[in-house]
Each structure stands twice: as structure tokens, then as C-alpha cells.
Amino acid sequence: MLKGKTVIVGVCGGIAAYKVVDVVSRLRKLGAEVEIIMTENAIKFVTPLTFQSISHRPVITDMFKEPEYWDIQHISLAKKADIIVIAPATANIIGKIAGGIADDMLSTVVMAAKAPVLFVPAMNCNMYENPIVQKNIKALTAQGYMFMEPDTGMLAEGTQGKGRLPEPPDIVKEIIRILTVKKDMKGLKVLITAGPTREPIDPVRYISNRSSGKMGYAVAQAAADRGASVRLISGPVSISSPYNVDIVNVLTASEMHAEVMKSYKDFDIIIMVAAVADYKSAEISDIKIKKKDDEMYLKLERNPDILKELGGVKGKRLLVGTCAETNDLLENAKEKLQAKNLDMIVANDVTMEGAGFEAETNIIKIIKRGGKIRELPIMSKLACAHEILNEIMTLGGYIKCL
Ligand code: CTP
């Protein structure tokens, strides 16, 4: 799967360094050539010999050691890399690279490289959550560097928290994803909405729906992986953020409406995956509402239909909607396609096993303007996301005039 690919693995000084031995072994088994650079602190945790034995290559530990090759080593390494993976990525290396410091082999190679760089942070949870580290991650992400989120669990110091190195198979999966995905959306700007909206009733209660955000987040991840510049306007969710995506968090349908209408003009493709609440409470109480009678009536009023409004102003932009239904799937989807002036709609029947809200999979039907329908079998939400984007990319006539 990775034959002909060169992966540079930068190992930093953290207890999770030992897990990276397994990552290297898995990459080698998939056919990749793996070059290891260890920082000065990394060799205090795992010996270079361990990595050398697994990678079958000399391990680079010192910038000024007699080089293995006659050429300038950090430049030649940077050139041959298809991807650079920094694992465990410590607060120190993240800070150094964010600050433009290149004072050892790893930071120098990263600075000289044009290949994608994937950071896999692992550190104490307080360190990871430190605003300085978070600011550095945000700044690097904005520059196109990629990050995996640490796992949550027992940390080396015996406390629970977010800071564990993700499991080696997950790291390898991420590397494969980055190396094998086609970049056919490069240059396109895509606006995506995801998740539910939350409509407050009083300070402790709200109206919402069961959307998990997984489908919309998968579409955002897939588009970013394919080279698009992606903004994700997200309702409240509790899933990990996609990498390389500009995320704007909102709570209510009105906030989502305002954000979408503020920015849609800057985008070529708009995909509304959010489950926007159609109604909100007509009045929001400042204080907790107390129970009184046996019955209680809540007056609701309509929220704006964001997609319908976009349909009226879309111009040459491609507009894609989604609908989750329990009955008359195709009829409802076709009606929404017409009524909201869409180019395409993605429909799923949430009553089917494997197509529900919290599921990792989905069963979708894609209906294009003109009536062409494509029915897909059950597949992961990320695979569905790629199929949706494949279909969008076949709307070539539109894409060309963007
Ligand atoms: N949508 C929207 N604004 C709303 C409601 C829906 O932008 N207030 C968008 C959704 O993001 C989705 C599409 O419209 O892309 C269809 O949403 P859905 O809830 O299925 O349809 P509705 O038009 O709300 O119709 P109904 O709830 O009556 O089925």
C-alpha cells in the first residue's frame, strides 16, 4: 500500500516514544521506506538501535555528526519525504516549529520540507490544554500542518486525561489517508454546516435533535483531504474536530444563519449537512421555569430556512442539501431539491440499521438536479463523504464556471 513512499518519522522525547516503534514496523510492512530522526531527548527514552533494527536504516540523531551521504543531509531528507510524521510531538517541538526555530535535525528538516507534516501530540493533559500549546497548534494548522488529536485515558503520571498518543494502527491509518487521497479539490472553497442546533427555552433547557455531527464532519475532513479550503460551521457536538478545517462554532439556528449568510459569498460549494431546528421557543426565560399545572404549552416560532435562502442567492455556487427522513425518502428529497433550488441532495432513511444518527456508517441516496439518483450501499460516513464529493465533482459544468 505504501510501496515507493518515504515516511520520515521524527521521534521526540516523551514516554510514548516506545509506541512509535510499532508505528514504524507497521509502515515497513506496508512497503514504506522509513527514515527516523530522533531528538536529543528522544534517545533518553528509546535507543536509536531499536529504531535502526526496525527501520533497517541508520537513525539520525545529530545534526553535526559525520553524514551518511555526501549531500546536505537535512535538505536531502526534506526532499525525499512524502510525509513527515512527528510522534510523539511534544509541546516543545510544536512550539519550536510554530515559532520558526530550526535548531536540530528534526526542526530543520521540517522547515526545509514541502511534504505534508503530521503532528501526533502526546503529553500531560494540562500541557496539551495549555493555551500556549493550543495557540501554537492553531497557528500551525492555519499554515497547513496536520494534527491528530491525542487519545483520552490513563496518562504516564497516573492521572486520567487527554494526552495519550493515539494507538499505532490509528496513526498508520491517518498516514495512509494523507498519502493516498486524491487532491482533486485543490483551489476550491467549500462551506459546510454540521451538527444540530440548540434552541434555548430557559437557562437550563433547550430544544435540539439527535444529530451527532459525524456525517458533516466526515464531509469536511474528506474535502480538506482532497485539497479544498474548508470552513465548517458547526452546531454543538462532542466529536473530534477534523484536521485542516477552519471551524466556526455556533449554538442556535439564528447564529448558524448569521454565520452562513456572512460568509457564503466567499465559497464555491456549500454543503448544508446540519440538522437545523425548524422552530425555536418564542420566548426565552431569563430564569429557570418552574412547574405549575399538569399541562404546559410552549409557543414556538419558525427559524430561518438557511438552505432555502441560499437557494435564492446562490448564483453560480454549487448548493447541496441533505435530508434525514423516516418515510417517503425519495419523494421528500426530490421536493426539497426543487423547493430549495439545490444542485444535489443527499438523503438517508434514519430508520434503517446502519444509517442512524450516532452510527459510524450511513446508507445514502444521492439525487441530482434533473432527477438522476444514485443509491449507495452501507458504508462508513467518511466513505459516504467521498462519494458525495465525487458526485459534486461530476457536476463539472458548474465547477468550471466557479
Ligand atoms: N435546513 C436549513 N434550515 C432549516 C432547516 C433545514 O438550512 N431551518 C437545511 C438542512 O441543513 C438540510 C436541508 O435543509 O440540508 C433539509 O433539512 P430537513 O430538516 O430535512 O428539511 P426541512 O426543510 O426542515 O423540512 P422538514 O423538517 O419539514 O422535513
Side-chain angles (χ1 to χ4, degrees):
M1 211 171 197
L2 297 179
K3 217 168 161 47
K5 302 282 185 198
T6 300
V7 182
I8 297 194
V9 178
V11 187
C12 300
I15 182 66
Y18 78 93
K19 279 193 184 174
V20 180
V21 177
D22 187 18
V23 174
V24 175
S25 160
R26 285 168 187 270
L27 291 171
R28 288 263 312 154
K29 281 183 193 145
L30 290 168
E33 190 180 314
V34 186
E35 298 275 4
I36 313 282
I37 304 172
M38 297 182 78
T39 64
E40 209 180 322
N41 287 334
I43 59 180
K44 294 178 184 149
F45 287 91
V46 180
T47 68
L49 187 61
T50 310
F51 277 111
Q52 189 176 312
S53 315
I54 292 292
S55 68
H56 299 191
R57 304 277 307 148
V59 170
I60 301 141
T61 53
D62 186 348
M63 179 105 186
F64 298 104
K65 218 177 106 187
E66 192 69 14
E68 287 293 321
Y69 324 100
W70 60 268
D71 53 359
I72 305 168
Q73 203 169 15
H74 67 280
I75 303 294
S76 68
L77 274 173
K79 260 196 205 154
K80 71 190 277 205
D82 289 298
I83 185 170
I84 300 175
V85 182
I86 305 179
T90 55
N92 185 47
I93 191 80
I94 293 169
K96 273 205 312 199
I97 294 171
I101 296 168
D103 65 348
D104 62 4
M105 188 57 103
L106 180 56
S107 50
T108 317
V109 168
V110 170
M111 213 58 83
K114 289 227 184 301
V117 179
L118 174 66
F119 286 82
V120 193
M123 63 192 82
N124 165 272
C125 55
N126 293 338
M127 283 175 85
Y128 182 69
E129 274 151 24
N130 185 306
I132 299 169
V133 174
Q134 287 302 316
K135 192 182 99 213
N136 288 336
I137 292 176
K138 220 174 156 69
L140 286 169
T141 305
Q143 296 290 326
Y145 291 91
M146 287 172 275
F147 279 81
M148 284 187 80
E149 269 195 43
D151 280 354
T152 301
M154 187 62 80
L155 302 172
E157 60 277 17
T159 51
Q160 287 278 340
K162 186 173 181 178
R164 281 171 64 86
L165 193 82
E167 290 307 316
D170 293 334
I171 299 175
V172 172
K173 226 191 275 171
E174 184 62 12
I175 295 169
I176 294 170
R177 193 175 62 76
I178 296 166
L179 284 176
T180 54
V181 83
K182 53 187 172 189
K183 298 282 178 198
D184 60 343
M185 295 187 81
K186 212 172 162 76
L188 290 173
K189 296 180 83 182
V190 185
L191 181 66
I192 298 165
T193 64
T197 64
R198 194 180 276 181
E199 312 299 328
I201 298 170
D202 69 11
V204 293
R205 303 180 180 96
Y206 57 81
I207 303 167
S208 192
N209 57 65
R210 290 179 52 198
S211 167
S212 64
K214 285 180 184 167
M215 194 60 238
Y217 274 47
V219 176
Q221 185 64 76
D225 289 348
R226 289 165 75 152
S229 156
V230 181
R231 179 173 301 164
L232 174 64
I233 300 177
S234 174
V237 297
S238 50
I239 54 173
S240 309
S241 303
Y243 311 119
N244 305 318
V245 167
D246 170 25
I247 303 183
V248 179
N249 290 304
V250 295
L251 214 56
T252 64
S254 299
E255 285 172 21
M256 185 171 280
H257 173 254
E259 281 298 334
V260 170
M261 298 319 290
K262 193 171 82 188
S263 49
Y264 81 91
K265 284 195 180 123
D266 300 334
F267 291 86
D268 307 307
I269 301 169
I270 306 161
I271 313 173
M272 285 281 306
V273 193
V276 186
D278 288 321
Y279 292 90
K280 64 180 174 187
S281 179
E283 279 171 27
I284 303 170
S285 171
D286 292 339
I287 53 169
K288 187 180 168 194
I289 300 169
K290 290 290 173 193
K291 62 178 168 296
K292 276 189 259 158
D293 307 325
D294 284 350
E295 289 181 349
M296 177 190 170
Y297 296 91
L298 192 63
K299 190 172 168 206
L300 302 179
E301 62 185 35
R302 281 284 287 271
N303 269 324
D305 188 326
I306 308 169
L307 192 57
K308 191 162 185 191
E309 198 172 322
L310 285 171
V313 293
K314 72 193 239 356
K316 287 177 179 170
R317 292 167 197 86
L318 274 176
L319 192 57
V320 178
T322 56
C323 63
E325 306 284 345
T326 56
N327 55 286
D328 305 319
L329 182 65
L330 285 175
E331 292 74 6
N332 283 323
K334 282 182 195 163
E335 202 194 305
K336 286 172 191 177
L337 182 95
Q338 282 287 328
K340 302 194 189 203
N341 190 24
L342 309 180
D343 298 291
M344 198 173 106
I345 190 159
V346 181
N348 68 313
D349 179 344
V350 287
T351 64
M352 288 176 82
E353 200 173 323
F357 289 108
E358 268 106 42
E360 296 301 327
T361 53
N362 207 349
I363 306 164
I364 57 169
K365 295 188 193 330
I366 300 176
I367 304 122
K368 286 186 189 161
R369 187 203 281 269
K372 210 172 143 224
I373 302 173
R374 192 165 158 227
E375 303 196 10
L376 290 152
I378 185 166
M379 53 177 78
S380 74
K381 285 190 170 164
L382 189 61
C384 286
H386 277 290
E387 292 296 345
I388 294 167
L389 297 178
N390 288 344
E391 289 299 334
I392 289 176
M393 295 306 282
T394 63
L395 299 168
Y398 291 95
I399 300 275
K400 277 192 202 96
C401 59
L402 293 172

